[in-house]
Amino acid sequence: MTLRTTILIMSAFGVISDSILIAFYPQFFELRYGLASSVHVGAYIAAISIAVMCMLPVWARVARRVETMHLLAYTQLAATAFCLLAIWAPTVEAYWLLTMLMFMTKASYLLMFPYLMRLEPANRHSVTIGLLSVVIHIGAIFGAAVGGLALQEFGPRFCVALMAAGDLAQFGLCTYLIRSGRVVRVLSADEGERAAPAPRRTPEALSALLKLSLLMFLFDFSAYLVRPFFTVYWEARTGISDQLLTGVIFAIPGIVALFALALRHRMASQPRWADHTLLNLVIGAGGLALQASESLWLIVLGRCLYGWALYQVIVKLEVTLFKVSTPAFYARDFGVTNFFQNLGVLLSSFSAGYLVDWVGVPTSFVIAAAGMLLTAVIDRGWFGVDSRHRTSAEVCHA
């Protein structure tokens, strides 16, 4: 296997591990510890975001002294150990402690993204980002489906064991790359960059990075506001309690992402409307609003529209990041934008728990749709009017 292929497979295992329970935490905590609080579930998912957003910059700094793949091998092995211990956590407090340590250590696998982008030529960034996005969506599909089946047939402890298996697979692949000599060492290049005069960031570049980070924050807040309770909502709305089917419905956005990627590769050039950020944000808002319907088929249609928008916008935002950044700042800038993205997920998870208690899940969909429309308005104001930022982000906006 090539280095790029192995990194893509590692990313898939990381996403699968994360996705096994992400759709089923309400059911998990009720089955395992007898807790049925929506606020507790929202707080737990928010805590995961805090763990990742705080530790990724730390791992990025450590990676300036330790080769990325060696660092990943150590941290994924530690994550496996914490996850295995969590299988037998006797109390919910112990489970919180062990799994938070797990997420803190496994957050380092996100460094694979800027590491891979440093090795790819600039003209292949959009292709690589598209592949990574699809790998993430495939992982989410598989993880949600397997998680639903495992929870239904084998119980919550088995789901945690599957998460540990995903982390262990990443450790194994890291070890394979190191021992096979396929790892590309970047510290020597970094030492040369540090010895040279420090590159200066222009005010325009810093402004574009900050605006992009804030845009990612609002987009992620809106896109993931409904995620923690969708599976419970689906089963209550439809009366269907098959958790395997629920996992598949939850994963519909990933299935649509695969279709979008196939369409992109089969066509010499995408239609202008398919590549229009404003239109895709409006489509996403419509998809979120449709999911508040009482009709099963409108909910499914809403998931499809939401999935299309999610794929298109995420890819374009990531392409924009590597357009406004430079190789020397890839890991640092990725850490900045990832911080804002996780902050958006953090606040959405906290908000989701309270919103569900206060106004119910259907209204949460409407609020998320309004947030998506606000993202579209801000996007047009920042990247559609100011020609300087339009130049730096032209690949992302129509």
Side-chain angles (χ1 to χ4, degrees):
M1 291 187 294
T2 65
L3 177 60
R4 184 175 73 163
T5 300
T6 308
I7 290 176
L8 290 173
I9 295 172
M10 288 172 61
S11 300
F13 275 114
V15 173
I16 290 169
S17 178
D18 289 344
S19 302
I20 285 172
L21 278 176
I22 195 66
F24 299 103
Y25 277 121
Q27 296 95 323
F28 172 83
F29 280 112
E30 185 171 5
L31 288 171
R32 180 80 185 273
Y33 297 108
L35 291 174
S37 169
S38 58
V39 174
H40 174 265
V41 172
Y44 181 78
I45 296 176
I48 294 174
S49 297
I50 293 174
V52 174
M53 66 191 285
C54 290
M55 286 306 299
L56 182 58
V58 174
W59 296 130
R61 183 171 291 274
V62 174
R64 298 173 66 182
R65 297 290 181 266
V66 181
E67 286 290 346
T68 302
M69 282 300 155
H70 290 78
L71 173 62
L72 292 180
Y74 302 142
T75 53
Q76 298 313 306
L77 183 60
T80 302
F82 288 128
C83 195
L84 288 172
L85 290 173
I87 296 175
W88 296 281
T91 64
V92 69
E93 292 82 7
Y95 182 83
W96 266 69
L97 174 62
L98 290 168
T99 53
M100 286 306 116
L101 290 171
M102 175 194 71
F103 284 113
M104 289 170 69
T105 51
K106 76 180 297 181
S108 62
Y109 89 84
L110 293 172
L111 292 175
M112 287 188 290
F113 189 33
Y115 174 78
L116 179 59
M117 296 304 289
R118 286 193 65 169
L119 305 180
E120 293 288 316
N123 60 357
R124 288 191 55 83
H125 280 182
S126 61
V127 174
T128 304
I129 290 170
L131 284 173
L132 280 166
S133 179
V134 167
V135 165
I136 289 170
H137 282 93
I138 292 175
I141 294 169
F142 187 77
V146 170
L149 178 62
L151 188 63
Q152 181 173 295
E153 299 295 332
F154 303 104
R157 291 179 186 270
F158 186 74
C159 291
V160 181
L162 288 177
M163 292 171 65
D167 296 334
L168 186 61
Q170 289 189 82
F171 165 74
L173 288 169
C174 284
T175 304
Y176 161 75
L177 285 175
I178 294 168
R179 291 186 175 179
S180 65
R182 287 181 168 85
V183 172
V184 176
R185 298 180 178 271
V186 297
L187 288 185
S188 57
D190 289 342
E191 288 172 1
E193 290 168 2
R194 286 193 291 268
R200 299 180 64 84
R201 305 298 295 273
T202 65
E204 290 80 4
L206 289 173
S207 176
L209 178 64
L210 177 59
K211 288 181 177 181
L212 182 63
S213 298
L214 293 174
L215 199 66
M216 286 179 164
F217 161 78
L218 183 55
F219 174 75
D220 278 57
F221 175 85
S222 306
Y224 296 109
L225 183 64
V226 296
R227 183 179 64 172
F229 301 100
F230 176 81
T231 57
V232 175
Y233 166 74
W234 165 263
E235 292 177 353
R237 204 72 153 175
T238 63
I240 302 172
S241 58
D242 185 331
Q243 290 179 335
L244 176 59
L245 175 62
T246 300
V248 172
I249 297 298
F250 181 84
I252 281 178
I255 299 171
V256 174
L258 295 179
F259 169 77
L261 179 73
L263 182 66
R264 181 184 291 266
H265 279 274
R266 287 182 64 87
M267 302 179 68
S269 61
Q270 281 202 124
R272 183 174 175 81
W273 63 266
D275 206 38
H276 200 292
T277 306
L278 175 60
L279 177 60
N280 284 318
L281 286 168
V282 172
I283 289 173
L288 285 167
L290 282 176
Q291 291 176 71
S293 168
E294 295 184 359
S295 166
L296 180 153
W297 297 110
L298 286 179
I299 294 174
V300 172
L301 175 61
R303 295 294 286 173
C304 292
L305 294 176
Y306 166 76
W308 171 273
L310 205 63
Y311 171 80
Q312 298 289 353
V313 176
I314 286 175
V315 169
K316 293 179 184 180
L317 289 176
E318 296 291 354
V319 170
T320 302
L321 167 62
F322 292 102
K323 278 286 182 179
V324 302
S325 185
T326 57
F329 290 100
Y330 276 175
R332 191 180 310 173
D333 290 349
F334 179 77
V336 170
T337 56
N338 187 267
F339 177 89
F340 279 91
Q341 287 176 302
N342 278 289
L343 183 61
V345 176
L346 161 66
L347 293 181
S348 72
S349 299
F350 269 127
S351 302
Y354 289 102
L355 282 173
V356 168
D357 275 354
W358 183 32
V359 297
V361 178
T363 305
S364 301
F365 280 106
V366 177
I367 295 171
M372 197 76 78
L373 291 176
L374 179 60
T375 305
V377 171
I378 295 175
D379 173 72
R380 287 299 92 185
W382 281 350
F383 291 102
V385 177
D386 187 337
S387 61
R388 289 173 299 171
H389 297 301
R390 182 177 178 83
T391 298
S392 65
E394 59 190 0
V395 69
C396 178
H397 298 84

